Amino acid sequence: MAEEKSDSPSDKSDQTETVEEKKIKPDDKKQKSKQDETVEKTSVQSNNNESSNCYCGKERNLNIVELLCASCSRWFHESCIGYQLGKLVPFMVNYIFVCKNCSPTGLESFKKTQAPFPQMCVTAIANLLQMCQKENEQKTLFHKDKDIIPFIDCHWESMTTMPRRATQSWHATIHRALLKDIGTLFTMDESTSEGQLFGLASSELTSIKPNYEQMIKNGHLRATEMGIQHVDVSRGTWYWEATIEEMPEGSATRLGWGQEYANLQAPLGYDKFGYSWRSRKGTRFHESRGKHYSDSYGEGDTLGFLIVLPDAHDASHIPNTYKDRPLVKFKSHLYYEEKDQVQETLKALRPLEGSKIIYYKNGINQGDAFVDINKGAYYPGISLYKSAMVSVNFGPNFKYPPTDVTFRGMHEKAEEAIAEQSMADILYLTENEGKLRLDTFVL
């Protein structure tokens, strides 16, 4: 992503208990002591369940898929999770999961990422080891060609988002991955008649989990009070925050609001679909034109992003249904086809009278950045240049909530979006007698 350097000028309630003094017999003391001990044990057990177990309160089961919450670090059984996870296998580490207890919207979130070959090997060997333990087999080492590669080949789509290789050249890559991490991830025994056998350096299968700390360090995941924002707003006054966690020398950010067709391969504010505030010199950008707006911002600053979208009453705020689109199979999943209509959308852009975008720096209003912005739906937008790191907060607990305007946090939009999309789908199915367009896809 290239960074433009040019700027244009410009209840617990308090209770009192009356304790009545009376003599207690020795037997009563023993009885009371036992009761207190029982209550204490029950309390400890309850606290443990709250801190380490699934919604169901049961212990871990290594024979099934379990996911670790990135926020509360509790394990959840696949059968107890309401989210449609797709194909998975036990002992995966290439995912990000947030349980409904940690999500402010009460909805679970899950994302499977591409797994490098060493991770796939760990998952494969762990599953082979667990299957042997289940069958009471004393086997801890496995053959690359007879055990590990067949397991990965059988469960490829479940283990990674990486497309399945057309040739078998990845077999050699598996061998190199195993050899490279001998002593750290794997062990090897060459003294057997079968040749090289591989096992896990640590046989404690309960320790296999996603390295969320490393994901945070590498910038792939930022643990905040929120999840990831995937909803847009088209009317009303909305707000979200971002904190600049790291801003190394030479790095920069552009933060703000963008529409659906904002160019994801360019900085926010590059085209007519984006409005951004740049860290360098506090410049505001739209259509690649930079104008002076405020002082610069940097590491440690918390920024607020407010958008005001008056209700135009002449537009439908119900989102498009996808039930009328053909189905496309991609990486073992079915998707509704959607074609970009950039040029048509560009021609239809019109300013929305009374609309505006305001930015805040550490709770201080920086003034109107843009007024009468284009009509349409807007998403929170972030562009990072080089190694900048930003954490986002969509609510409800904002660090610097605006006091000069009535607004709604972006966290409130999630459930509203679900209702809107459901309404759009119901209208379509009612009008089309419940039929979906399946004519272009062969099951």
Side-chain angles (χ1 to χ4, degrees):
M1 184 183 297
E3 174 68 15
E4 296 179 21
K5 297 182 179 179
S6 61
D7 295 329
S8 300
S10 25
D11 118 7
K12 290 188 179 179
S13 60
D14 292 334
Q15 296 179 345
T16 57
E17 295 181 350
T18 304
V19 181
E20 194 176 317
E21 295 183 2
K22 49 178 157 180
K23 295 180 180 179
I24 302 177
K25 297 180 181 179
D27 292 343
D28 293 337
K29 288 184 179 180
K30 292 180 181 179
Q31 186 69 21
K32 184 177 181 180
S33 177
K34 289 181 180 180
Q35 290 176 351
D36 291 343
E37 185 178 352
T38 303
V39 170
E40 185 178 354
K41 288 182 179 179
T42 304
S43 177
V44 170
Q45 185 177 1
S46 176
N47 290 335
N48 288 338
N49 284 340
E50 290 178 1
S51 62
S52 61
N53 294 329
C54 179
Y55 305 128
C56 64
K58 295 181 180 179
E59 297 299 326
R60 294 194 60 183
N61 184 350
L62 300 183
N63 295 313
I64 64 173
V65 173
E66 297 176 307
L67 300 182
L68 180 70
C69 176
S71 181
C72 65
S73 298
R74 296 169 62 195
W75 288 94
F76 295 83
H77 308 127
E78 180 185 27
S79 57
C80 299
I81 296 172
Y83 193 95
Q84 295 298 317
L85 299 172
K87 294 181 179 180
L88 300 176
V89 294
F91 305 113
M92 288 177 55
V93 294
N94 55 312
Y95 65 85
I96 299 170
F97 171 72
V98 178
C99 72
K100 61 185 179 183
N101 295 335
C102 296
S103 170
T105 63
L107 301 174
E108 298 157 335
S109 64
F110 172 80
K111 180 182 179 181
K112 183 165 66 174
T113 59
Q114 182 170 310
F117 283 109
Q119 285 187 1
M120 297 177 72
C121 291
V122 169
T123 300
I125 296 175
N127 277 277
L128 293 168
L129 185 58
Q130 178 61 21
M131 285 188 283
C132 289
Q133 292 179 357
K134 187 178 179 181
E135 299 296 330
N136 294 321
E137 294 183 22
Q138 301 300 319
K139 184 177 180 180
T140 59
L141 299 174
F142 303 92
H143 196 274
K144 170 179 68 75
D145 297 316
K146 298 178 181 178
D147 302 312
I148 300 174
I149 288 178
F151 184 92
I152 295 176
D153 189 48
C154 180
H155 300 92
W156 184 284
E157 285 79 9
S158 302
M159 297 176 69
T160 182
T161 59
M162 180 168 42
R164 182 183 286 272
R165 302 298 174 87
T167 65
Q168 295 184 351
S169 60
W170 62 274
H171 291 192
T173 308
I174 290 289
H175 192 212
R176 289 194 297 269
L178 290 167
L179 293 175
K180 182 181 179 181
D181 289 312
I182 294 294
T184 55
L185 294 178
F186 311 109
T187 59
M188 183 179 67
D189 187 355
E190 297 182 282
S191 62
T192 65
S193 58
E194 297 182 76
Q196 294 178 340
L197 296 181
F198 298 90
L200 294 177
S202 173
S203 59
E204 187 57 57
L205 298 182
T206 56
S207 64
I208 299 175
K209 60 184 179 181
N211 192 344
Y212 287 133
E213 292 183 1
Q214 189 64 37
M215 292 184 193
I216 293 172
K217 184 178 180 181
N218 293 340
H220 301 309
L221 170 67
R222 186 65 200 173
T224 67
E225 298 177 10
M226 288 305 321
I228 299 173
Q229 189 71 15
H230 293 293
V231 296
D232 60 73
V233 293
S234 56
R235 55 178 175 174
T237 302
W238 300 87
Y239 179 81
W240 66 282
E241 283 182 345
T243 298
I244 310 300
E245 301 292 349
E246 294 182 13
M247 184 77 77
E249 185 178 354
S251 63
T253 65
R254 290 195 192 185
L255 314 175
W257 297 90
Q259 293 186 296
E260 179 181 11
Y261 291 126
N263 193 333
L264 299 179
Q265 307 304 319
L268 184 65
Y270 170 82
D271 50 27
K272 292 185 177 182
F273 299 113
Y275 299 85
S276 68
W277 182 21
R278 192 174 72 170
S279 56
R280 293 178 182 173
K281 302 181 181 180
T283 312
R284 59 185 175 92
F285 275 90
H286 176 60
E287 290 189 80
S288 295
R289 292 195 287 264
K291 295 183 178 180
H292 179 70
Y293 171 64
S294 70
D295 294 334
S296 62
Y297 60 83
E299 192 169 310
D301 288 330
T302 296
L303 314 172
F305 304 88
L306 185 86
I307 190 168
V308 180
L309 298 168
D311 195 338
H313 298 293
D314 60 349
S316 172
H317 295 291
I318 297 178
N320 293 325
T321 182
Y322 295 92
K323 300 294 188 289
D324 59 341
R325 322 261 172 107
L327 286 169
V328 178
K329 188 174 183 180
F330 180 69
K331 294 183 179 179
S332 302
H333 295 277
L334 292 176
Y335 298 89
Y336 288 107
E337 182 183 58
E338 183 179 20
K339 297 180 179 179
D340 288 345
Q341 297 178 331
V342 179
Q343 295 304 319
E344 295 85 345
T345 306
L346 277 171
K347 293 178 182 179
L349 285 178
R350 297 290 184 274
L352 178 59
E353 186 177 352
S355 61
K356 59 183 176 180
I357 292 176
I358 302 172
Y359 298 133
Y360 294 79
K361 179 181 176 182
N362 299 323
I364 301 175
N365 188 324
Q366 303 295 303
D368 293 352
F370 303 96
V371 295
D372 294 341
I373 62 176
N374 292 322
K375 288 182 182 180
Y378 285 85
Y379 299 80
I382 296 175
S383 292
L384 303 179
Y385 181 61
K386 289 192 174 178
S387 301
M389 182 183 293
V390 173
S391 63
V392 296
N393 182 2
F394 299 119
N397 301 316
F398 293 113
K399 188 173 182 179
Y400 297 109
T403 58
D404 54 350
V405 64
T406 302
F407 68 92
R408 298 174 66 188
M410 283 298 295
H411 68 285
E412 295 185 26
K413 184 61 182 178
E415 291 189 20
E416 189 174 298
I418 294 173
E420 291 175 349
Q421 191 64 59
S422 299
M423 177 61 71
D425 294 343
I426 290 172
L427 289 174
Y428 173 80
L429 294 172
T430 300
E431 294 170 355
N432 293 274
E433 299 178 350
K435 296 180 180 178
L436 297 177
R437 180 174 176 180
L438 298 173
D439 55 310
T440 58
F441 179 76
V442 179
L443 292 171

